[in-house]
Amino acid sequence: MHKMCTTDLYETSATRERAVSGSPDGQGRAPGATLPTITERNAAPSAGPPGSTPVGSTPAGVAPAEVAPGGNTPSGSTPPGGTPPPGTAPSDYRAAFNAARLAMAVVNREGVVLDANPALGVLLGTEPARLIARSAADLADLREDPRIWSEYREVLHGRRRRLCCTRRLQRPDGHALWAEITVEPVPDGCSVLLSMADISERRDLQGRLRHLQMHDPVTRLPNRNLFFERLASALEAATYDRGGTGRIGLCYLDLDGFKAINDTLGHRVGDRLLGAVAQRLTECAAPGGHLVARLGGDEFALLVRDSTGTEQLCELAKSVLAALQRPFDVAGQRLSVSASIGVVERPAAGTHTTWLMQAADTTLYWAKEDGKARWTLFDPERNAHRMTRQALSSTLRPAVEREEFVLDYQPLVGLVDGTVKGVEALVRWDHPRFGRLSPNRFISLAEENGAIVPLGRWVLRTACRQARDWQLAHPRNPLIVSVNVAVRQVWDSDLVADVGSILAETGLAPHLLQLELTESAVMGSAGQPLQALLQLSEMGVAIAIDDFGTGYSNLAYLSRLPVSTLKLDGSFVQGFRAEEHPNPADETIVQALVELAHRLGLTVTAECVESAEQAERLARIGCDTGQGWFYSRPVPPDRISAMVGGHPAATGAQ
């Protein structure tokens, strides 16, 4: 049975103290007698034991002014929960409880309603008396949320001081409302006070404000903030919900050519076009109930929760492309746009929003790079290659400073006598993580980020220093060292000054240095590059055109540029390998190029020579030198020293 004191919210602490100490209380009860209930205190006064004072009369020896006006409790008695101000009576608290506009109920420690005020009845759409003896948790809908239910029970058991939450309540007449629920103990220690405040209007206002905050005003789609909120929720739900597929998919798209429409027709037409695009995207996503959001500008996203696999995402991307390919009628204009779409689909477990968006953004970039107006599926291997490129690009300059690069050399061999005439310097990167990397792994990156300038300067200095060592060691057979030069080295640095200072520093004769530039770079040279080539040639440095025959092939430039050597691209030599069915056209083309070069006073080097037959046919045509694996792979400088004066072709050095 619950203690009787539980029902007596309004009993004063002074009365309880007198009952415990043995003094008669205000009602004349002897010590230990049953405490008065609310009904008893509000009932008509009855005669008490001898010496007691009837309610409403003035005690003997006490002036009338000492009696609280309008009450039957002497001034100084204690109200519920503490000491009342002078002139108040317990009945005032009961009246305040009933008259309060805040809905309240007194609840015992078992969670049963002991008393409810009229405001609570109005709020819940019933008579207050019908609420007595009912479960407070049911009235306030506190059982549905496990966290709220746990905190509520802790308040009942005295292990928590207060609970405050918001719940959606359903009235008997079907009307729903949002209420702010507060549960906290009352000072008597035997009960708690539950209060409810109707916050439906405030909730509606907050909802409208949140909708404005979370939706795009142009397309009325969820904006970036709401998208990321839903994405995080979907990832969490898919990870722990065993009833779903446990997977998630994303189509991240960008309109192709939208900027041109915005710039030519104005932002008003552009906004209307975005609205029309949003409508078609919504139609595509509607059958599957997928979320469509505008992330900003002309970027949109379609989120697929519980995806069934990449096929589902690919089909969605195809439908989006087909929908957007139809022309749009906007503001009297017939407009056509397309989209590039990045598609990502994977298990939700272990997936973070940041990774997913990075993958989608990368895949969208691939779609645009591959030609636009298409969708591209995320490829982990391709992404790993991209990440490797990024890691290499960011560490190129520090690697030059740490001297992580080395040079190998590949011989340039005379096709007639088989002697080593020179070498080509080829740079390698001894990467601390990826091992030794060939030039095709990092040279293009160095050209993109500008690291080619300090790297090229290091290669040039190292190669010239090594060539000078060979010259001193073999004065009768000095080797020409050929060094590749990127066009950016000519534009972003003073190549002429660099070459001059390095030759002076190393003591290498200028005629023993050959600089190789690609055909596409040399043939289009004008202005600064052309002047640099002319100055280098006047200095005595040889200029070679690398990969000749694969670029512009504007032969008119050969008579204007200070070129001394043509290096035929290996694709011309490939046809020389077919022993059973030789292609006469290949030999005819090479022979014509060799004759043209010789008439212009140029020498010719054939690249990618891999067999004795190729070397023999090239020599017969009149080609001067050959380079390739038939003679030697790129090797360290000490291996070159052993070849000087020898015949690598005869030994088959590999």
Side-chain angles (χ1 to χ4, degrees), residues 118-131:
L120 183 61
V122 173
L123 181 68
L124 299 180
T126 186
E127 294 294 330
R130 294 179 177 272
L131 302 176

Side-chain angles (χ1 to χ4, degrees), residues 96-104 117 119-120 196:
F97 179 74
N98 289 328
R101 300 181 64 180
L102 178 64
M104 295 182 289
N117 69 349
L120 183 61
M196 298 184 186

Side-chain angles (χ1 to χ4, degrees), residues 357-436:
M357 292 308 300
Q358 286 178 345
D361 186 64
T362 298
T363 312
L364 172 60
Y365 172 78
W366 293 343
K368 286 188 172 295
E369 189 179 44
D370 293 342
K372 301 182 180 180
R374 67 190 62 225
W375 59 270
T376 301
L377 185 64
F378 179 75
D379 182 0
E381 184 175 346
R382 185 175 180 180
N383 185 60
H385 178 67
R386 181 189 68 88
M387 296 296 291
T388 302
R389 282 178 56 87
Q390 183 177 356
L392 293 177
S393 178
S394 62
T395 57
L396 260 170
R397 288 181 181 271
V400 176
E401 298 173 0
R402 293 191 296 264
E403 297 186 353
E404 295 179 357
F405 296 90
V406 297
L407 291 184
D408 283 342
Y409 300 88
Q410 189 170 31
L412 303 174
V413 180
L415 290 173
V416 176
D417 57 10
T419 60
V420 178
K421 305 293 185 180
V423 292
E424 179 181 356
L426 299 171
V427 64
R428 273 83 170 106
W429 185 358
D430 279 340
H431 196 281
R433 176 182 173 188
F434 301 113
R436 177 160 290 198

Side-chain angles (χ1 to χ4, degrees), residues 301-555:
L302 289 82
L303 178 64
V304 179
R305 301 183 59 166
D306 289 326
S307 61
T308 58
T310 56
E311 295 81 4
Q312 180 186 14
L313 269 296
C314 294
E315 289 299 324
L316 178 60
K318 292 177 183 177
S319 67
V320 168
L321 283 180
L324 297 182
Q325 285 176 352
R326 302 195 308 269
F328 293 86
D329 293 322
V330 179
Q333 302 278 347
R334 192 169 180 82
L335 305 176
S336 296
V337 295
S338 61
S340 300
I341 307 177
V343 179
V344 183
E345 200 279 339
R346 61 170 288 114
T351 300
H352 191 270
T353 55
T354 302
W355 182 94
L356 190 65
M357 292 308 300
Q358 286 178 345
D361 186 64
T362 298
T363 312
L364 172 60
Y365 172 78
W366 293 343
K368 286 188 172 295
E369 189 179 44
D370 293 342
K372 301 182 180 180
R374 67 190 62 225
W375 59 270
T376 301
L377 185 64
F378 179 75
D379 182 0
E381 184 175 346
R382 185 175 180 180
N383 185 60
H385 178 67
R386 181 189 68 88
M387 296 296 291
T388 302
R389 282 178 56 87
Q390 183 177 356
L392 293 177
S393 178
S394 62
T395 57
L396 260 170
R397 288 181 181 271
V400 176
E401 298 173 0
R402 293 191 296 264
E403 297 186 353
E404 295 179 357
F405 296 90
V406 297
L407 291 184
D408 283 342
Y409 300 88
Q410 189 170 31
L412 303 174
V413 180
L415 290 173
V416 176
D417 57 10
T419 60
V420 178
K421 305 293 185 180
V423 292
E424 179 181 356
L426 299 171
V427 64
R428 273 83 170 106
W429 185 358
D430 279 340
H431 196 281
R433 176 182 173 188
F434 301 113
R436 177 160 290 198
L437 303 178
S438 59
N440 62 348
R441 294 288 303 275
F442 59 87
I443 289 297
S444 61
L445 297 176
E447 292 177 343
E448 291 174 6
N449 65 15
I452 192 65
V453 173
L455 176 60
R457 191 178 293 120
W458 178 89
V459 170
L460 184 62
R461 178 178 289 106
T462 305
C464 288
R465 186 181 296 117
Q466 181 61 60
R468 176 58 176 167
D469 292 342
W470 285 325
Q471 182 184 11
L472 295 175
H474 307 281
R476 295 184 179 181
N477 299 299
L479 297 179
I480 296 175
V481 63
S482 189
V483 179
N484 290 279
V485 176
V487 177
R488 189 161 183 175
Q489 289 179 256
V490 182
W491 283 106
D492 294 358
S493 67
D494 192 343
L495 181 61
V496 177
D498 288 343
V499 171
S501 63
I502 290 174
L503 290 177
E505 173 189 335
T506 59
L508 182 68
H511 71 276
L512 296 180
L513 174 63
Q514 176 175 273
L515 300 181
E516 295 186 19
L517 289 89
T518 60
E519 180 187 0
S520 58
V522 174
M523 289 300 183
S525 293
Q528 180 178 344
L530 177 59
Q531 293 300 320
L533 294 179
L534 291 173
Q535 293 179 46
L536 290 169
S537 178
E538 293 174 358
M539 189 184 298
V541 175
I543 305 297
I545 300 178
D546 194 15
D547 301 329
F548 183 78
T550 61
Y552 296 108
S553 298
N554 188 344
L555 301 180

Side-chain angles (χ1 to χ4, degrees), residues 140-189:
D141 191 32
L142 302 179
R143 300 180 190 272
E144 295 300 321
D145 189 313
R147 181 184 61 83
I148 293 177
W149 172 243
S150 175
E151 293 179 0
Y152 170 65
R153 292 176 61 83
E154 289 181 356
V155 174
L156 290 181
H157 297 155
R159 295 191 295 267
R160 186 182 180 90
R161 297 183 59 183
R162 189 170 186 263
L163 166 67
C164 186
C165 62
T166 301
R167 304 300 296 162
R168 188 172 186 272
L169 306 180
Q170 192 79 23
R171 290 162 45 119
D173 59 4
H175 177 72
L177 59 94
W178 284 96
E180 186 176 75
I181 313 295
T182 303
V183 182
E184 52 191 342
V186 296
D188 67 1

